[in-house]
Amino acid sequence: METRYYVIFAVTILALQVLIYIFNRTLGWLYGGVLSQKGRYIFVFTSYVFTNSVAILTATRLFPMFRLLPFIMVFLLFSLFVSLALVLLAWVFKNYSKIHRTLAWLYPIGMAGLIGLGVYNAYTPQIVHYQITLDKPIRPLRIGMASDFHLGKLFGAKQLDQLAEIFNQQKVDLILLPGDIMDDNVDAYLSQKMQPSLAKLQAPLGVYATLGNHDFFGDQQRIAEQIKQAGIKVLWDQTETINNEFVIVGRNDDLVKDRPSTAQLIQSVDTRLPIFVLDHRPTEIEQISQLPVDLLVAGHTHNGQIFPANFITKLIYRLAYGHEKIGNGHFIVTSGYGFWGVPMRLGTQSEVVIIDVKGKE
């Protein structure tokens, strides 16, 4: 395992201890009189043992709990935010005789509010519009883009129906889906019969997808086959020239270490045409910006999904979210239509991207 994974694990475990400590201190401050001193000791000990056991078992894959661990961490993070707000209120209203009782009531209300907001942000997509002008001639084109569905038990047919309706209302000419279509496998997709809903994603110039890291966790062949059966073209490090007007390049996720470079992929196409690249992770923006690529669409980052993780993604990627013209091309990274781990977003929102493309006159 690479060194960076050990560093990430160590930082995560350390952050977890801090969050557990603040959570226990907050409960002790607000509800200390409810339990006996022995009861409080038992509760604190249990919280540390249980949470760290889940983290270690998941990290070592002895008994992975990829949904439970993120939920625990998000819950503890939300508790931190509410605790900080209550400390501020306690200081501002320190002369109010009933402030402690009021704060004890506000804590669960604040937690419920943050969780409710997180769920709302995860399931209520915003429509984000970008207008770009290429340095090559092309007739006006409207592209619909969405990524990171993570189709599974918590995100499925209803959300696909909603996405299809959005694309239809926006009258898109082309749909691009840059990866993480499924959440690791097709089990939930098949059991919940999502194919008719996925097949509703249609556009006059076609629907194209690439596979993301979660699509490449061992079930990629079945995932690609199910996407294909829904009428969507899956590009495995392939190019497709559409009506001799523009070229679509679809790259495998960089989990595939021997994948060809974008430069290699476009050697066989007419680079005088506009070139649109689907690449799940925005890891090679600097290199691709030096090529005759006009538009790259990516996802993966979720824009952090839960604040303050968006600051971490900004440190990792040249462009972690949004649109920027870099070098020869335009680069757009979406926060994603779905979510990973927990059905919540904070500081970010589920989104559908609409790109209006114009060419050089």
Side-chain angles (χ1 to χ4, degrees), residues 114-259:
L114 278 182
I115 291 172
L117 177 61
V119 173
Y120 174 84
N121 287 340
Y123 285 104
T124 309
Q126 61 179 344
I127 302 175
V128 179
H129 288 264
Y130 297 109
Q131 294 183 345
I132 64 173
T133 301
L134 309 185
D135 294 329
K136 299 173 185 176
I138 186 175
R139 66 180 175 88
L141 180 69
R142 173 164 280 197
I143 300 173
M145 191 266 281
S147 77
D148 299 277
F149 299 171
H150 293 275
L151 295 175
K153 294 179 180 179
L154 301 178
F155 198 88
K158 181 179 179 180
Q159 287 70 41
L160 289 173
D161 291 342
Q162 184 180 27
L163 179 61
E165 184 177 350
I166 291 172
F167 282 147
N168 289 337
Q169 289 176 348
Q170 294 294 317
K171 295 180 171 55
V172 299
D173 302 304
L174 174 71
I175 295 176
L176 303 179
L177 310 174
D180 276 2
I181 310 299
M182 306 288 179
D183 200 18
D184 301 352
N185 56 58
V186 296
D187 297 346
Y189 176 85
L190 293 174
S191 65
Q192 296 184 23
K193 298 180 174 59
M194 298 182 199
Q195 183 174 315
S197 296
L198 184 61
K200 290 179 182 178
L201 300 183
Q202 298 178 3
L205 295 177
V207 184
Y208 294 84
T210 51
L211 302 187
N213 56 306
H214 281 267
D215 300 315
F216 270 107
F217 284 165
D219 206 14
Q220 55 265 29
Q221 294 297 335
R222 287 205 306 162
I223 288 174
E225 182 58 32
Q226 290 301 320
I227 296 172
K228 179 181 176 182
Q229 287 182 18
I232 298 171
K233 174 81 172 184
V234 180
L235 298 175
W236 301 72
D237 287 325
Q238 294 172 302
T239 65
E240 188 96 359
T241 300
I242 310 299
N243 299 335
N244 203 35
E245 294 181 52
F246 58 87
V247 178
I248 298 176
V249 179
R251 304 190 70 197
N252 288 334
D253 182 75
D254 63 13
L255 272 180
V256 182
K257 298 304 181 185
D258 60 348
R259 68 174 183 167

